Amino acid sequence: MTSIEAAADGAEAWFTLDRDDGRLAVGGDWTIGESARLDRELNALELKGQGPVTIDASKLSRLDSAGAWLLLRTRRALEAAGNTVSGPEVPERYQPLLENLDQEQPENRKSGPRIPKGFRGRLYRIGRTTVQNLKQAVSILGYLGRVTVETGEAIVKPRHNLRVTAIVHQVEETGINALPIVGLLAFLIGVVLAYQGADQLKRFGAEIFTINLLGVGLLREIGGLITAIIVAGRSGSAFTAQIGTMRVNEEIDAMQTMGLNTVDTLVLPRVIGLVIALPLLTFYAMVMGLIGGAMMCYFALDITIPIFLRQLNDAVSVNTMMVGLIKAPVFAFVIALVGCYEGFQVQRNAASVGQLTTRSVVESIFLVIVLDAAFSVMFSILDI
């Protein structure tokens, strides 16, 4: 009978490999303190063979996650060497630890249901995607309700729940720091609108109405929509990445352990800060767009600034601008809500942060466009 024994003097962890009986017996304290020695000795074993091997761990006196991982790694090494392995047979009190650790191994995770081929496969994917989207919509609605309740409590009891410093910081991050990119893009959009409008209206000798097109388009629709899309890509993604990284680093778990309300601490400052900042950014984008359009009209159509302002005054009113500004807080609330919600859905890996950041931006832009269309229909019905 051939056997290999490993145990150090004074060490409690041991194992014995009996090749004739096909039995690997382990015992003692398989804990992190013994893991370095056990790792070296297990790696030195000659595991090749074709017979069945039983891992008998019934004599274990202590077992932690490091020792359980070594047992599972040894089993996989025996299987890779061509052996048929059964076990490890551990005391009943350690069985849950071994099962949980075994399930977390990538090769042991259960795969999803097998997708049929052809037309049935397409129907299956459509149905699965539809169900997932409906579940996510219900989850977002529930989260919306929670954030709404927390916001109401913060307004009723501002001294207890409202974190003014954090809100001011978010206004700076989402509003003031976004002025350069929003201003530049709005200016260029005003130039493009004026140029394209003038190019078409020249055919009818109505170049002056380029100002009407520019004023109504920017103040009523394009200014607010473009600003919301820029903020969704800039700030909404930042919200998801920040909260998602906190989940990966287990900072949110620590906050919950300390008894902190994560909605009060992380969500409300971002929501309120963006609701304050986006209307101001929208107004700024409208002004920059009109400046860009005025410059294009001056150089391309020889329309002076006084003429531009007089025609703009005739074309638009305060209501025109208010229609664009009223939508901004709603867009801000949706962008912040989706960004924070997706951040809390991040799993504990870096790939999930990237995936959900992308999803956050796509969902925010989609919802902003849907809401803008809904506002347009509503204003049309109300004749505003």
Side-chain angles (χ1 to χ4, degrees):
M1 182 175 76
T2 303
S3 65
I4 299 174
E5 297 183 0
D9 293 338
E12 298 185 26
W14 58 267
F15 65 87
T16 302
L17 176 60
D18 192 330
R19 296 189 184 279
D20 294 336
D21 291 342
R23 181 171 175 269
L24 174 63
V26 302
D29 292 353
W30 278 54
T31 58
I32 192 170
E34 298 287 320
S35 60
R37 178 180 63 83
L38 290 171
D39 179 54
R40 291 192 303 269
E41 295 171 351
L42 288 170
N43 284 330
L45 283 178
E46 181 65 34
L47 302 176
K48 291 184 179 180
Q50 299 296 328
V53 177
T54 300
I55 301 177
D56 181 9
S58 59
K59 295 183 179 179
L60 283 173
S61 55
R62 292 176 62 195
L63 180 69
D64 62 9
S65 57
W69 181 83
L70 285 171
L71 283 175
L72 294 173
R73 191 192 67 175
T74 303
R75 185 186 68 184
R76 293 196 299 272
L78 287 167
E79 291 172 343
N83 301 281
T84 303
V85 183
S86 60
E89 300 171 358
V90 299
E92 185 177 355
R93 63 182 180 276
Y94 296 128
Q95 194 66 37
L97 170 63
L98 204 68
E99 291 176 354
N100 290 335
L101 195 62
D102 193 23
Q103 289 175 359
E104 291 179 1
Q105 301 301 318
E107 63 271 18
N108 294 329
R109 290 174 184 166
K110 294 182 179 180
S111 59
R114 185 176 180 182
I115 301 176
K117 297 181 179 179
F119 181 71
R120 291 179 59 195
R122 295 189 184 93
L123 286 179
Y124 174 84
R125 292 186 182 91
I126 293 171
R128 182 180 63 181
T129 303
T130 302
V131 170
Q132 289 174 348
N133 290 338
L134 288 174
K135 288 182 178 178
Q136 186 172 9
V138 172
S139 179
I140 291 178
L141 283 176
Y143 192 74
L144 170 63
R146 180 184 176 187
V147 172
T148 303
V149 170
E150 297 283 355
T151 304
E153 292 179 354
I155 293 173
V156 173
K157 301 177 181 179
R159 293 184 179 178
H160 299 284
N161 296 328
L162 208 57
R163 303 175 67 240
V164 178
T165 304
I167 293 173
V168 173
H169 174 72
Q170 291 301 326
V171 171
E172 179 184 3
E173 288 292 324
T174 61
I176 297 175
N177 292 345
L179 289 175
I181 183 65
V182 171
L184 177 61
L185 291 179
F187 179 86
L188 295 176
I189 288 171
V191 170
V192 171
L193 278 178
Y195 180 80
Q196 295 297 328
D199 188 53
Q200 298 299 318
L201 293 172
K202 273 183 181 179
R203 303 178 184 183
F204 308 100
E207 296 94 331
I208 191 66
F209 291 106
T210 302
I211 302 171
N212 298 55
L213 173 66
L214 185 69
V216 174
L218 278 174
L219 297 181
R220 191 179 180 94
E221 292 292 339
I222 298 176
L225 184 61
I226 292 298
T227 306
I229 291 174
I230 296 171
V231 170
R234 183 183 180 276
S235 301
S237 61
F239 292 168
T240 303
Q242 290 164 359
I243 296 176
T245 303
M246 293 179 69
R247 276 191 61 82
V248 172
N249 295 335
E250 299 184 354
E251 295 176 38
I252 292 179
D253 294 339
M255 292 172 63
Q256 292 173 338
T257 302
M258 295 168 62
L260 296 176
N261 189 326
T262 55
V263 174
D264 286 347
T265 307
L266 300 176
V267 179
L268 284 186
R270 288 173 168 82
V271 171
I272 297 175
L274 193 58
V275 168
I276 294 172
L278 190 57
L280 301 176
L281 277 177
T282 301
F283 178 77
Y284 173 71
M286 293 174 179
V287 173
M288 293 301 296
L290 290 175
I291 291 174
M295 291 185 63
M296 177 55 65
C297 289
Y298 180 79
F299 289 107
L301 303 175
D302 295 326
I303 297 177
T304 62
I305 300 301
I307 296 175
F308 181 91
L309 293 176
R310 185 168 59 250
Q311 183 67 24
L312 181 65
N313 184 58
D314 295 337
V316 301
S317 63
V318 175
N319 288 339
T320 307
M321 183 180 67
M322 292 306 298
V323 166
L325 292 178
I326 286 172
K327 297 183 285 188
V330 181
F331 293 164
F333 185 82
V334 170
I335 292 169
L337 180 73
V338 172
C340 295
Y341 171 80
E342 294 297 349
F344 283 106
Q345 305 307 307
V346 169
Q347 304 300 316
R348 301 186 190 279
N349 59 78
S352 179
V353 176
Q355 292 170 357
L356 289 173
T357 299
T358 302
R359 184 193 297 178
S360 168
V361 175
V362 172
E363 289 178 352
S364 298
I365 294 175
F366 171 77
L367 291 174
V368 163
I369 295 174
V370 169
L371 286 172
D372 186 68
F375 273 116
S376 298
V377 172
M378 182 181 69
F379 290 147
S380 177
I381 293 174
L382 297 176
D383 197 20
I384 296 177

